[in-house]
Amino acid sequence: MQDWDLLLTDASIATMSSGGAAYGIIEDAALAVVDGQIAWLGAMADLPALHARETVSIDGRWLTPALIDCHTHLVFAGNRAAEFEQRLKGATYEEISRNGGGIMATVSATRAADASTLAGQTASRLQLLMAEGCATIEIKSGYGLDMQTEIRMLEVARRVAASCGISVRTTFLGAHAVPVEFCGKADAYIDLVCEEMLPAIHESQLADAVDAYCEPIAFSTEQVGRVFQKASSLGLPVKLHADQLSDSGGAELAASFNALSADHLEYTHFNGVKALAKAGTVAVLLPGAFLTLGETKLPPVNQLRDESVPIAIATDCNPGTSPVCSIRTTMALATSLFRLTPEECLAGVTRNAARALGLNDRGRLEVGMRADIAAWDIGHPQELSYWIGTNELTDLYVAGRRPGQ
Ligand code: NIG
Ligand code: FE
């Protein structure tokens, strides 16, 4: 008889599988792991009598899929608290950006930081997310805007995640802003992104996907289209910062390239929602940025629901618009700001977040999936989007192991 590596007993399990009961709940349950994957789960009463190398009683607590933060800018140097204060005195994000602050301020700081400084600051933020149950995180470049710094950012992202023992998906965001060297020459910068940066990034295998910022203060749909064309020709999946500050046709553009996700979407119109639905593109909502920018235009949540567009939520952790290093706070914000239900929030950081990253081996607790599991001292999984500032995580398993063990 085959041994199990790990057996978790006496648990309530929220599988987050779609289509079944709310949260996919199995009460009085057990879960077994072999080779980092879920080999069995079900009611304790049906537990086959197999030997397990390690058995852990969950003592009636809850197991959920480990959480996934599918949109972050975790690698950056410095912060923009001064700009935050300026905004609260009346300056807008766009004004600060047009005056050389905003993303460009972080670009200067990040270019000046060496890899070990960047790694140290990134690791602190990553550990906060892990401490709240994240086992997979997406990290973008985009504060280098030159080959050397973009590559440094992606390398740091991979290295820090490996040393912390969690999964990372890296995203090349070269088309985040026009760097000072290309001031007034956005098209020439896009040429550089397409002709030099993307081929080098592809060759180095440092990026799992390609993102861009489609907005009047950043790049047009035509410019982003060129980046996406090139990324697609290299076999790299795409995603987009779309319709955050204006309806720039971002959702339709993302859908036309079968993007993994279209993110932000505050200003997306119904045609954009329809296009996302048709393409199977995930809508990633970012309540931390909405809160920090004091936005009032809500993303079209009801239309996304009506059209069955999968909704994910993420921290968007970045120094400018979302200085948020908490996935749990993000879940709570998504309920209060966007009126997502606690179940939608949990799906948004598990099943749908996995899909937003093109990962079909996690985000649900099912046989054959990776054993990325979070254990919580709660009475019901709806509490994960309800409490603010608490942390009920008691254990995190990444591919069946506690990170660091
Ligand atoms: O996701 N919108 C563009 N990118 C970031 C902001 C980056 C910054 O301001 O540093 C975002 O909101
Ligand atoms: Fe972002």
Side-chain angles (χ1 to χ4, degrees):
M1 250 194 251
Q2 197 203 337
D3 281 342
W4 281 327
D5 296 330
L6 173 68
L7 177 62
L8 305 177
T9 63
D10 303 293
S12 296
I13 300 182
T15 65
M16 298 313 289
S17 296
S18 51
Y23 295 89
I25 288 174
I26 313 175
E27 300 277 10
D28 201 11
L31 182 154
V33 177
V34 175
D35 290 336
Q37 292 186 343
I38 298 172
W40 188 88
L41 85 169
M44 288 284 287
D46 302 327
L47 183 60
L50 289 189
H51 176 73
R53 249 171 248 138
E54 185 189 359
T55 300
V56 176
S57 171
I58 301 297
D59 286 330
R61 287 176 281 119
W62 282 82
L63 301 179
T64 69
L67 309 187
I68 299 171
D69 191 351
C70 68
H71 179 142
T72 85
H73 306 250
L74 220 63
V75 180
F76 59 84
N79 69 64
R80 308 220 300 271
E83 188 179 286
F84 177 60
E85 182 140 17
Q86 265 178 281
R87 284 208 307 271
L88 287 164
K89 288 180 177 160
T92 67
Y93 182 72
E94 285 96 331
E95 276 161 16
I96 291 171
S97 157
R98 289 191 201 284
N99 290 329
I103 293 172
M104 294 321 297
T106 302
V107 170
S108 306
T110 304
R111 284 181 178 180
D114 61 23
S116 70
T117 307
L118 279 178
Q121 296 183 9
T122 303
S124 312
R125 297 186 272 269
L126 193 71
Q127 278 153 9
L128 291 171
L129 292 166
M130 274 180 84
E132 291 190 327
C134 285
T136 301
I137 180 162
E138 186 258 13
I139 302 180
K140 302 174 196 297
S141 66
Y143 290 126
L145 311 182
D146 61 27
M147 186 89 91
Q148 196 190 354
T149 319
E150 288 291 304
I151 286 187
R152 185 156 76 242
M153 290 184 73
L154 295 168
E155 281 172 350
V156 163
R158 288 261 174 96
R159 181 149 56 83
V160 169
S163 70
C164 292
I166 73 167
S167 295
V168 67
R169 301 300 281 177
T170 49
T171 302
F172 172 61
L173 177 56
H176 194 194
V178 181
V180 276
E181 316 79 85
F182 284 85
C183 188
K185 294 183 288 186
D187 278 317
Y189 178 61
I190 292 294
D191 288 344
L192 179 78
V193 168
C194 293
E195 284 155 32
E196 290 179 36
M197 289 184 169
L198 271 170
I201 297 285
H202 175 249
E203 177 73 24
S204 67
Q205 298 190 337
L206 277 170
D208 301 301
V210 172
D211 195 349
Y213 187 22
C214 186
E215 202 67 55
I217 56 167
F219 298 100
S220 66
T221 47
E222 191 274 325
Q223 289 162 335
V224 173
R226 285 171 57 208
V227 174
F228 281 7
Q229 203 82 54
K230 183 69 187 185
S232 304
S233 76
L234 294 169
L236 284 164
V238 300
K239 56 181 74 178
L240 187 63
H241 283 75
D243 308 329
Q244 180 190 12
L245 306 170
S246 60
D247 183 9
S248 349
E252 285 98 324
L253 175 69
S256 73
F257 282 89
N258 291 311
L260 289 172
S261 69
D263 303 32
H264 288 290
L265 303 179
E266 278 82 347
Y267 285 83
T268 299
H269 277 118
F270 189 52
N271 286 347
V273 174
K274 281 268 195 211
L276 296 178
K278 193 152 173 263
T281 296
V282 176
V284 179
L285 305 184
L286 305 168
F290 181 92
L291 176 85
T292 306
L293 290 177
E295 290 288 339
T296 51
K297 177 84 177 73
L298 286 162
V301 171
N302 280 333
Q303 291 178 357
L304 292 168
R305 285 182 180 129
D306 289 348
E307 298 303 314
S308 303
V309 176
I311 300 174
I313 57 175
T315 62
D316 192 14
C317 179
N318 77 73
T321 64
S322 190
V324 176
C325 286
S326 168
I327 193 81
R328 288 284 306 282
T329 305
T330 300
M331 295 165 74
L333 289 177
T335 62
S336 54
L337 298 174
F338 297 162
R339 313 308 296 172
L340 294 191
T341 66
E343 188 183 1
E344 287 173 322
C345 289
L346 190 53
V349 296
T350 55
R351 182 175 76 229
N352 292 341
R355 186 162 161 185
L357 297 178
L359 297 170
N360 54 20
D361 64 348
R362 68 195 75 183
R364 290 167 285 150
L365 298 181
E366 291 169 10
V367 169
M369 303 290 269
R370 263 171 72 100
D372 285 1
I373 303 163
W376 310 93
D377 190 8
I378 49 175
H380 191 280
Q382 59 205 181
E383 288 178 46
L384 297 175
S385 305
Y386 165 76
W387 299 109
I388 301 179
T390 58
N391 189 356
E392 295 80 7
L393 186 80
T394 60
D395 268 305
L396 179 66
Y397 295 93
V398 182
R401 288 168 187 269
R402 292 185 182 89
Q405 285 186 356

